[in-house]
């Protein structure tokens, strides 16, 4: 009984803070005056015992790490005034909550998570197979858009004590719902803006098929306190895209699209 009262008091306290926050900050906005991108967090999806999606000959965890390392090197070479932090630099399993913690503790201003997509079609060649690039930003859970979020959040179940570590995923807890809502409203607008810039580069410059910028309930985005995106760079189970994702040419093209989007995003912020 005491625990129930303590939980209720905590929820009421958080609600009071949230109401105060909302009275000063309009929903779906973020104050950008003086907001600068200084620290970019680069997150190579999956790793270690969590291989991620699989193609005919490659694993998502290896493709994402290769792209992440190239992006890190490209930022240092082309945008030297930016700092970068890799959530992993080798084939190591990093818990989702640890990835967010790394981003937050590093005082990141932009979180970029690299992934590969997969469909239910398998890895065999066939006509009109699913292809294209998708950008995810964190949004409210939507019944018809849960497949991607569930696939990415499946990494949770590779972790020990996942039920205790991820209590914030319990939407029935009013306190958790309030906290998640505050995260969403604070950074949603900027995440979508950067996502749109990314998609423009992928489609207009590289000629990739666009699957759009979508809002999903992906844990690693929800708990990174900064504008955040997850890039599904292509379908690793599509043999043509698997070859592209594993090639130097394809990886460099993906990296340069991200670089151009980062530069464009900085210009947008500087103009405000």
């Amino acid at each position: 009984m005491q625990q129930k009262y303590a939980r209720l008091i905590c929820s009421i306290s958080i609600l009071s803070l949230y109401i105060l926050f909302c009275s000063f900050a309009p929903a779906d906005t973020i104050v950008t005056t003086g907001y600068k991108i200084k620290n970019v967090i680069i997150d190579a999806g999956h790793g270690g015992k969590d291989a991620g999606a699989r193609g005919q000959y490659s694993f998502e965890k290896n493709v994402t790490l290769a792209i992440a390392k190239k992006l890190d090197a490209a930022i240092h070479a082309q945008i030297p005034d930016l700092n970068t932090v890799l959530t992993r630099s080798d084939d190591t399993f990093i818990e989702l909550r640890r990835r967010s913690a790394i981003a937050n503790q590093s005082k990141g201003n932009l979180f970029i998570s690299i992934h590969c997509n997969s469909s239910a079609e398998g890895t065999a060649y066939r006509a009109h197979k699913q292809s294209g690039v998708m950008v995810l930003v964190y949004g409210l859970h939507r019944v018809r858009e849960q497949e991607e979020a569930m696939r990415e959040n499946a990494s949770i179940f590779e972790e020990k004590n996942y039920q205790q570590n991820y209590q914030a995923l319990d939407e029935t807890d009013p306190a958790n719902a309030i906290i998640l809502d505050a995260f969403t409203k604070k950074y949603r607008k900027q995440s979508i803006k950067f996502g749109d810039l990314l998609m423009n580069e992928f489609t207009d410059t590289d000629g990739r098929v666009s699957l759009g910028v979508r809002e999903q309930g992906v844990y690693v985005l929800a708990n990174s306190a900064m504008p955040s995106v997850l890039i599904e760079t292509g379908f690793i189970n599509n043999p043509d895209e698997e070859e592209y994702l594993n090639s130097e040419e394809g990886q460099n093209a993906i990296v340069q699209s991200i670089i151009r989007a980062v530069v464009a995003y900085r210009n947008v912020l500087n103009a405000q």
Side-chain angles (χ1 to χ4, degrees), residues 208-229:
R208 301 288 305 282
V209 174
S210 171
L211 297 179
V213 178
R214 304 186 184 184
E215 296 182 35
Q216 300 282 359
V218 180
Y219 184 91
V220 74
L221 300 183
N223 288 272
S224 297
M226 64 203 69
S228 307
V229 298

Side-chain angles (χ1 to χ4, degrees), residues 116-189:
C116 299
N117 217 332
S118 184
S119 64
E121 302 166 296
T123 59
Y125 282 95
R126 68 174 63 178
H128 309 297
K129 197 159 187 177
Q130 182 71 68
S131 64
V133 61
M134 180 191 303
V135 175
L136 303 183
V137 299
Y138 182 76
L140 299 177
H141 293 295
R142 297 179 181 181
V143 174
R144 296 182 180 179
E145 297 181 358
Q146 283 299 288
E147 185 176 354
E148 286 298 322
M150 291 172 65
R151 188 176 72 81
E152 297 305 340
N153 282 345
S155 297
I156 289 174
F157 303 106
E158 298 287 346
E159 304 174 17
K160 295 180 180 179
N161 302 320
Y162 71 89
Q163 290 177 321
Q164 289 79 15
N165 293 336
Y166 296 99
Q167 292 179 13
L169 291 177
D170 181 6
E171 294 180 0
T172 63
D173 186 333
N176 290 340
I178 291 168
I179 293 171
L180 288 175
D181 187 56
F183 268 117
T184 303
K185 288 181 178 179
K186 187 173 183 181
Y187 296 112
R188 177 178 178 274
K189 184 177 181 180

